[in-house]
Amino acid sequence: MASMNTLPTVLAFDVFGTVVDWHGSIASEVTRLGLQVNPDAFATAWRQGYRPAMAKVRSGALPWTKIDDLHRLILNDVLDDFNIQGLSENQIHHLNLVWHRLNPWPDTVTGLNRLKKQFTLVTLSNGNLGLLANMAKNAALPWDLILSAEVFRHYKPDPETYLGVAQIFDIEPSAVMLVAAHKDDLASAYECGLKTAFIERPLEFGAKVTRTDLHVETYINYHAKDFIDLADQLGT
């Protein structure tokens, strides 16, 4: 479902779940490490700590803290909850940096390269700059610019993040389109005047979890199966 309005000039991408497969990548890392836990449960638990941790920063209960450090705080709790002992500090540190090494979805690189022919591609992620840069190098993600909550000192869904993209490029918010697999993110962007594109990622939370939020919404300008479908819809 496409809007008849003018096409955006900048596509801003949510990253975790939209561009890369965090659940599958973390579960694979847990398996590789030989941890005696359910890999899917571990990946889910780690990600579930993400919103509460960010909420503490957004409320001021925690000072500005980058995602790498929040991930480590959450990981410490998850290791305790799963009674995982015996990992060295170096092993825990390396595990924490798995977020820098997340694998792209099968359509990601091809789709992004097609979209890049016509649009400026940027990240708009709560991930910190170093994480996003390492991820891009590891997964061959062809960003024109890496933007992060770290740049704006605000985490999504604070308006400063969405409006910040338009300010950086000196364009109207409507010339920016957020591309995301999460409807709450898209709804917040829409409220700030951005265009919106929803990407279905049915396996984001693992093969055993069925997503029930893949239906069309009125506030979404483009609804696509994946990045290749989005590129088709945008004519590039």
Side-chain angles (χ1 to χ4, degrees):
M1 182 180 66
S3 165
M4 298 304 292
N5 294 336
T6 310
L7 287 176
T9 58
V10 175
L11 304 185
F13 288 79
D14 172 68
V15 174
F16 299 122
T18 302
V19 176
V20 291
D21 175 12
W22 61 265
H23 188 281
S25 302
I26 291 171
S28 294
E29 183 80 0
V30 169
T31 300
R32 188 189 67 78
L33 284 171
L35 302 183
Q36 299 303 300
V37 297
N38 181 304
D40 291 319
F42 188 96
T44 298
W46 199 354
R47 182 66 171 177
Q48 283 178 337
Y50 179 73
R51 285 177 185 265
M54 284 194 307
K56 291 180 180 178
V57 176
R58 293 180 64 222
S59 70
L62 277 178
W64 175 259
T65 307
K66 66 182 182 179
I67 285 290
D68 272 343
D69 295 334
L70 291 180
H71 278 155
R72 178 58 193 267
L73 291 173
I74 302 162
L75 177 59
N76 291 341
D77 290 339
V78 173
L79 292 173
D80 286 343
D81 291 343
F82 281 81
N83 197 29
I84 295 173
Q85 301 172 359
L87 291 180
S88 69
E89 171 56 31
N90 284 341
Q91 288 174 312
I92 296 172
H93 179 70
H94 183 75
L95 175 58
N96 192 54
L97 296 184
V98 69
W99 296 91
H100 294 224
R101 305 186 297 272
L102 300 181
N103 297 317
W105 296 108
D107 60 280
T108 289
V109 175
T110 299
L112 289 178
N113 278 301
R114 280 184 58 186
L115 292 164
K116 186 170 179 170
K117 293 176 183 177
Q118 185 173 343
F119 304 97
T120 298
L121 307 188
V122 306
T123 61
L124 183 58
S125 173
N126 286 331
N128 48 284
L129 293 169
L131 181 160
L132 294 168
N134 289 340
M135 180 194 293
K137 180 68 75 176
N138 181 68
L141 306 176
W143 305 123
D144 292 303
L145 180 65
I146 293 174
L147 293 177
S148 157
E150 187 177 4
V151 172
F152 307 115
R153 285 294 194 269
H154 282 273
Y155 281 124
K156 295 188 295 181
D158 287 354
E160 288 85 351
T161 56
Y162 307 108
L163 297 175
V165 178
Q167 291 165 357
I168 280 176
F169 287 96
D170 196 21
I171 55 179
E172 293 297 318
S174 60
V176 180
M177 184 159 74
L178 181 70
V179 182
H182 311 116
K183 290 184 175 178
D184 54 350
D185 198 1
L186 292 165
S188 297
Y190 173 81
E191 290 172 3
C192 290
L194 276 66
K195 290 186 173 65
T196 53
F198 178 71
I199 307 298
E200 295 183 5
R201 293 300 186 196
L203 299 178
E204 177 181 357
F205 302 100
K208 297 177 182 177
V209 177
T210 301
R211 288 191 63 165
T212 59
D213 63 342
L214 302 183
H215 51 279
V216 172
E217 304 281 6
T218 57
Y219 59 86
I220 290 174
N221 301 109
Y222 296 86
H223 184 115
K225 295 288 185 183
D226 56 25
F227 289 164
I228 293 171
D229 184 18
L230 181 63
D232 289 340
Q233 291 187 42
L234 294 174
T236 184

